[in-house]
């Protein structure tokens, strides 16, 4: 009982390992600060450190914590005059070490080559690509992609193959896909997907088999599913589910080798669950199931695979309304079970080719 009485400490988990959980909680003495627990007893739950002494608390309005292996990088407010500071938390020995001052919107997100990447700013630059070198214990700017005060605002970091992929904005290219190995010369544009100043807005990165799937748009095809291996030659549109400039709007993307499962819409089925895989040099995209027949769509979301080898997601059906669905792969055709407790039915699959 961190805050005894009826008020409650409003605990908010933000990072974890197999043995420890970091969370924010509020007390009358310290305000909202960072706590840790093993989850076994109240005696194994404690305040990490009162980073902003007094009742104000160090937690920013939007928690910014990036956990990797046994380490978490925490952006916290140290005091009113200094602003935000980056800290490194070690789960193994429960220690917190200060790294340095960062901007109020700095958010560590990607790790590769012993470097932690983030968008950060200083007095001379807008928000640009920065990294903390764990070996050198130094925080510095990697590349000034949009020189001057505007800033390229790098985000959506995805670690992969000795580097990171991210999106960033420049005056000439708009928001496009970039990569970095942690050096200035190794930070380059992957591809101008939407040529010119228009944004392709790449986002929702999902890693599988040394490739990253993502959503992006261009003027000719709208927003569809894309894939990249970090090179321009290896960056391509996977499918065009909504022909022409209309968008398939893929989302709910989950990798399950050799398939990427995702939700998207086409003219005949509305938003339904799809899967895609590469075979014989091309992408093959199939409709997994037409849970809500016709153009209405079942709007499947929150797809998660279980330890049993099946998957659960939420979707709408004409008979059950919004309900839990179970996907059980069997051979080439998975089975979809719609569950309205205590009844369960199995819906036959409608597999449709939708190659680009």
């Amino acid at each position: 009982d961190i805050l005894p009485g009826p008020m409650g400490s409003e605990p908010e988990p933000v990072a974890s390992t197999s043995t420890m959980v970091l969370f924010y909680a509020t007390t009358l003495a310290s305000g909202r600060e960072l706590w840790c627990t093993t989850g076994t007893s109240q005696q194994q739950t404690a305040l990490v450190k009162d980073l902003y002494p007094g009742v104000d608390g160090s937690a920013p309005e939007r928690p910014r914590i990036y956990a990797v292996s046994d380490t978490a990088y925490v952006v916290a407010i140290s005091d009113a005059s200094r602003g935000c500071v980056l800290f490194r938390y070690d789960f193994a020995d429960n220690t917190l070490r200060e790294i340095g001052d960062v901007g109020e919107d700095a958010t560590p997100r990607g790790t590769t080559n012993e470097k932690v990447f983030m968008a950060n700013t200083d007095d001379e630059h807008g928000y640009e690509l920065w990294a903390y070198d764990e070996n050198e214990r130094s925080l510095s700017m990697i590349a000034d992609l949009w020189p001057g005060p505007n800033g390229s605002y790098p985000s959506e970091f995805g670690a992969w193959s000795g580097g990171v992929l991210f999106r960033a904005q420049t005056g000439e290219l708009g928001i496009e896909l970039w990569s970095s190995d942690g050096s200035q010369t190794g930070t380059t544009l992957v591809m101008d997907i939407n040529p010119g100043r228009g944004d392709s807005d790449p986002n929702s990165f999902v890693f599988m088999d040394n490739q990253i799937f993502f959503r992006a748009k261009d003027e000719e095809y709208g927003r569809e599913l894309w894939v990249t291996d970090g090179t321009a030659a290896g960056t391509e549109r996977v499918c065009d589910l909504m022909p022409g400039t209309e968008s398939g709007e893929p989302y709910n993307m989950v990798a399950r080798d050799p398939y990427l499962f995702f939700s998207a819409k086409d003219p005949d089925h509305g938003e339904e669950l799809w899967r895609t895989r590469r075979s014989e040099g091309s992408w093959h995209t199939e409709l997994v199931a037409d849970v809500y027949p016709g153009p209405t769509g079942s709007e499947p979301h929150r797809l998660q695979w279980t330890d049993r080898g099946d998957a659960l997601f939420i979707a709408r059906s004409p008979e059950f309304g919004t309900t839990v669905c179970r996907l059980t792969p069997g051979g080439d055709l998975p089975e979809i079970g719609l569950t309205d407790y205590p009844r369960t039915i199995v819906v036959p699959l409608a597999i449709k080719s939708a190659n680009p």
Side-chain angles (χ1 to χ4, degrees):
D1 192 1
I2 294 174
L3 181 57
M7 293 181 61
S9 64
E10 300 181 357
E12 179 184 8
V14 290
S16 65
T17 66
S18 58
T19 59
M20 185 77 71
V21 175
L22 286 178
F23 64 98
Y24 279 113
T26 303
T27 66
L28 297 179
S30 302
R32 195 157 185 81
E33 291 287 352
L34 191 64
W35 288 66
C36 64
T37 183
T38 62
T40 57
S41 69
Q42 185 165 330
Q43 288 70 32
Q44 295 295 316
T45 302
L47 175 69
V48 174
K49 188 176 181 180
D50 190 1
L51 294 175
Y52 193 160
V55 299
D56 291 325
S58 67
E61 182 176 343
R62 175 175 55 88
R64 281 168 285 158
I65 294 184
Y66 174 66
V68 54
S69 187
D70 291 330
T71 303
Y73 292 88
V74 181
V75 176
I77 303 170
S78 63
D79 59 59
S81 59
R82 187 177 178 187
C84 290
V85 177
L86 180 64
F87 295 86
R88 183 183 188 272
Y89 176 78
D90 192 318
F91 283 95
D93 56 14
N94 192 26
T95 58
L96 193 70
R97 176 168 55 82
E98 180 179 321
I99 292 175
D101 294 351
V102 294
E104 62 180 12
D105 291 326
T107 307
R109 274 295 175 264
T111 304
T112 189
N113 297 334
E114 303 297 324
K115 292 184 177 181
V116 180
F117 292 83
M118 69 194 76
N120 192 26
T121 186
D122 60 17
D123 294 337
E124 298 180 10
H125 308 89
Y127 277 87
E128 293 291 350
L129 182 65
W130 287 58
Y132 170 67
D133 190 315
E134 294 180 323
N135 292 325
E136 300 293 333
R137 292 195 174 188
S138 62
L139 178 66
S140 60
M141 187 173 70
I142 299 298
D144 188 9
L145 300 180
W146 192 348
N150 289 321
S152 63
Y153 283 88
S155 61
E156 294 272 347
F157 293 97
W160 126 105
S161 187
V164 292
L165 287 173
F166 61 97
R167 54 182 249 156
Q169 180 176 12
T170 67
E172 296 180 354
L173 301 173
I175 303 174
E176 291 294 347
L177 186 65
W178 293 72
S179 69
S180 178
D181 64 0
S183 67
Q184 182 176 4
T185 57
T187 301
T188 58
L189 175 72
V190 175
M191 185 178 183
D192 188 6
I193 293 172
N194 194 12
R197 296 189 176 185
D199 304 331
S200 71
D201 190 26
N203 61 77
S204 304
F205 295 162
V206 176
F207 178 85
M208 187 177 76
D209 287 343
N210 295 319
Q211 294 179 311
I212 287 184
F213 293 88
F214 60 98
R215 296 158 28 106
K217 65 180 180 180
D218 61 16
E219 298 296 332
E220 186 174 357
Y221 294 96
R223 190 183 304 278
E224 297 289 351
L225 181 65
W226 285 69
V227 68
T228 184
D229 64 0
T231 67
T235 302
E236 60 181 332
R237 186 183 307 103
V238 173
C239 56
D240 182 21
L241 292 180
M242 288 291 285
T245 58
E246 293 190 60
S247 300
E249 296 289 356
Y251 65 100
N252 191 36
M253 295 152 55
V254 179
R256 184 72 171 183
D257 199 17
Y259 292 100
L260 178 85
F261 288 81
F262 64 100
S263 301
K265 62 183 178 181
D266 74 351
D268 299 326
H269 305 93
E271 293 181 21
E272 293 290 354
L273 187 64
W274 297 74
R275 67 180 184 179
T276 190
R277 67 176 295 185
R278 191 169 184 84
S279 177
E280 298 179 351
S282 62
W283 290 100
H284 298 273
T285 304
E286 302 169 323
L287 179 68
V288 174
D290 196 5
V291 176
Y292 201 122
T296 300
S298 67
E299 301 179 2
H301 57 285
R302 296 189 180 180
L303 175 65
Q304 295 185 26
W305 288 91
T306 73
D307 295 337
R308 300 186 304 269
D310 58 0
L312 301 174
F313 62 95
I314 298 174
R316 297 185 304 150
S317 73
E319 183 174 358
F320 298 110
T322 300
T323 187
V324 177
C325 302
R326 187 184 72 245
L327 186 158
T328 305
D332 291 334
L333 303 179
E335 294 180 346
I336 299 290
L338 300 180
T339 304
D340 181 37
Y341 297 105
R343 296 179 298 163
T344 300
I345 64 173
V346 175
V347 178
L349 292 187
I351 300 295
K352 172 188 174 183
S353 176
N355 296 319

